[in-house]
Amino acid sequence: MRYTGVSAYGVRAPLINKGDNLPEIVAGSLQKALAAEGLTLKPTDVVAVTEAVVAKAQGNYASIEDIGSDVRAKFADNTVGVVFPILSRNRFLNILKGICLGAKHVCVLLQLPHDEVGNPVMDMDLMDDVENELKGLIPADEFKRITGEYKHPFTDVDYIELYEKLSDNISIYLSSDARDILKLTPHALVAEIHNRERTKKRLLKAGAETVYTLADILSKPVNGSGYNPDYGVLGSNLATGEELKLFPRDCGEFVNKLQKEIELKTNVIPEVMIYSDGAFKDPLAGIWELADPVVSPGHTERLKGRPDEIKLKLAANTFLEAISPQEKQEAITKMIREKSTSAGYREGTTPRIFADLLGSLCDLVSGSGDKGTPIVLIKGYFDDYASE
């Protein structure tokens, strides 16, 4: 009997630079880690690489001037209404700088009482006392009169003030309804990440003249900039005061190249994926981690599927106590191996796809700080209780 199940290892790698042969570096780092830890790579193992180093090796960067040029081309000389951005210095501040460069005037509509991923704009304990005053479109100064000064519980930043002071051509408003932006301008740029398409449809239905999303900004190169055809500036991160690192592109091509490079070095073909933010929620602050558009922008075919699992606790509880532990183990092992006949024992199993589950695990293992492990090796994920 095996005594271990899933295990995950953060794998250290050299610092990555623009133009590096990342598949070769990753495969070489993995080979060294396997040898150092006495591990054997198997075809059912998963090798994952953070999106940050993929984009960095690609040189997928853009400046705030590039964003400004694209905004100007799309909105001409009109006031741009930026709808429901997240509250973030890392994720949105440079994007907003670029929008301000490209627009005559910018009206930012912040979402009440918190943004899409849970960052609050006010003390949530006040909601019951002031909710009747928080109706419709509210200018920032009026909102602060009602709710008082407020700083984010983690970053200690007043994001209304931060965004408001970013440029002379910006105004901040708050609302719980995205369509309120049309009271200010018929030209909208939806800044939501996961709800962007629904909000775009609602705005168009409500009479908006122009609607783009952040996925449309830098979906093509501007003045030789980086770009992302699927996500634009969504998933981007602060690189410098004037530059962003964009979400990686050509991810399918990358995972295939990496898989072949690992095979050359180890004679094993594992599953391969790129991971970004994990899809989980902080229980204390109520903030979702997933500020990227997807958990995994690229992965090999098997990782597109979903777990097909027996709920072990449910199965075990159905057997009479009179059965011996050995008989119970044999019966459950048989049930797992004959899953097609055990459909009734799947209640409560996780329906998320492998790539989202594995990507969340990778994000927790590698972190985003100073661990220096942009590669994660996952072993035993596709094993089960019946595996020898």
Side-chain angles (χ1 to χ4, degrees):
M1 179 177 175
R2 287 176 54 179
Y3 290 94
T4 59
V6 181
S7 55
Y9 302 82
V11 177
R12 291 184 177 175
L15 295 177
I16 305 301
N17 300 295
K18 178 181 177 180
D20 281 349
N21 185 336
L22 190 58
E24 185 176 285
I25 292 172
V26 171
S29 298
L30 176 66
Q31 190 177 36
K32 292 174 183 176
L34 291 169
E37 299 298 324
L39 300 173
T40 302
L41 191 67
K42 297 181 179 181
T44 53
D45 291 343
V46 179
V47 178
V49 184
T50 177
E51 60 83 21
V53 298
V54 179
K56 191 169 185 181
Q58 290 174 344
N60 202 21
Y61 289 81
S63 68
I64 61 172
E65 287 82 3
D66 297 327
I67 294 172
S69 294
D70 204 7
V71 168
R72 194 176 303 114
K74 287 179 166 63
F75 288 96
D77 191 29
N78 291 302
T79 294
V80 177
V82 178
V83 181
F84 290 172
I86 63 173
L87 305 177
S88 172
R89 293 164 294 178
N90 177 40
R91 293 289 191 169
F92 186 67
L93 196 61
N94 269 7
I95 294 175
L96 185 55
K97 285 182 184 178
I99 295 169
C100 290
L101 280 180
K104 178 179 69 174
H105 190 81
V106 178
C107 296
V108 177
L109 185 64
L110 299 180
Q111 189 170 13
L112 283 175
H114 52 71
D115 69 15
E116 182 185 16
V117 295
N119 294 294
V121 292
M122 61 176 289
D123 184 346
M124 298 299 291
D125 290 336
L126 288 176
M127 275 301 297
D128 290 340
D129 297 330
V130 300
E131 61 181 343
N132 289 332
E133 297 180 73
L134 300 180
K135 305 291 186 182
L137 184 67
I138 310 169
D141 57 351
E142 176 68 7
F143 177 77
K144 286 199 170 187
R145 183 194 67 76
I146 297 169
T147 63
E149 299 293 326
Y150 180 75
K151 292 185 178 181
H152 192 284
F154 279 4
T155 63
D156 199 36
V157 171
D158 181 335
Y159 283 97
I160 294 176
E161 182 180 52
L162 179 69
Y163 289 172
E164 197 169 34
K165 292 184 176 180
L166 192 63
S167 174
D168 293 334
N169 66 334
I170 192 169
S171 302
I172 307 293
Y173 298 83
L174 296 98
S175 176
S176 59
D177 190 335
R179 293 168 295 187
D180 280 338
I181 195 67
L182 301 181
K183 297 174 182 177
L184 302 169
T185 175
H187 308 286
L189 177 58
V190 179
E192 285 178 301
I193 304 163
H194 308 295
N195 298 323
R196 61 187 183 276
E197 290 302 326
R198 180 174 183 270
T199 297
K200 179 179 179 179
K201 289 178 183 177
R202 295 183 78 205
L203 290 172
L204 289 169
K205 187 176 180 179
E209 293 179 21
T210 311
V211 184
Y212 289 99
T213 76
L214 289 184
D216 300 312
I217 305 300
L218 296 187
S219 60
K220 296 179 181 179
V222 174
N223 303 321
S225 72
Y227 67 99
N228 191 301
D230 300 311
Y231 303 115
V233 294
L234 289 175
S236 61
N237 291 85
L238 179 73
T240 68
E242 303 297 318
E243 194 174 41
L244 295 121
K245 178 196 67 61
L246 303 181
F247 214 47
R249 58 179 190 267
D250 304 321
C251 294
E253 179 182 340
F254 173 81
V255 296
N256 290 333
K257 284 183 177 178
L258 176 54
Q259 193 176 50
K260 291 176 182 176
E261 190 67 35
I262 294 172
E263 182 185 11
L264 284 173
K265 284 185 164 56
T266 66
N267 292 318
V268 176
I269 306 175
E271 302 299 325
V272 174
M273 67 181 292
I274 300 169
Y275 67 95
S276 58
D277 278 345
F280 48 82
K281 188 176 183 178
D282 183 279
L284 295 178
I287 297 171
W288 284 96
E289 171 69 10
L290 188 56
D292 285 319
V294 290
V295 175
S296 174
H299 43 266
T300 46
E301 282 298 314
R302 184 178 186 183
L303 304 187
K304 293 179 180 179
R306 298 175 185 271
D308 179 24
E309 298 176 334
I310 301 298
K311 193 71 172 179
L312 195 60
K313 290 181 289 186
L314 180 61
N317 289 338
T318 62
F319 292 98
L320 297 175
E321 291 299 322
I323 297 177
S324 71
Q326 180 63 33
E327 289 173 322
K328 183 180 287 191
Q329 180 174 322
E330 290 173 358
I332 292 176
T333 299
K334 181 181 179 183
M335 181 182 292
I336 292 172
R337 288 173 177 166
E338 298 174 355
K339 286 180 181 177
S340 60
T341 63
S342 306
Y345 295 98
R346 284 173 167 77
E347 289 88 347
T349 56
T350 304
R352 292 162 59 193
I353 63 172
F354 287 126
D356 287 351
L357 293 163
L358 289 163
S360 298
L361 172 61
C362 291
D363 190 30
L364 289 168
V365 170
S366 67
S368 59
D370 57 7
K371 289 183 173 60
T373 54
I375 307 159
V376 176
L377 169 64
I378 301 171
K379 300 184 69 62
Y381 189 84
F382 293 100
D383 294 346
D384 54 39
Y385 190 67
S387 299
E388 297 295 339

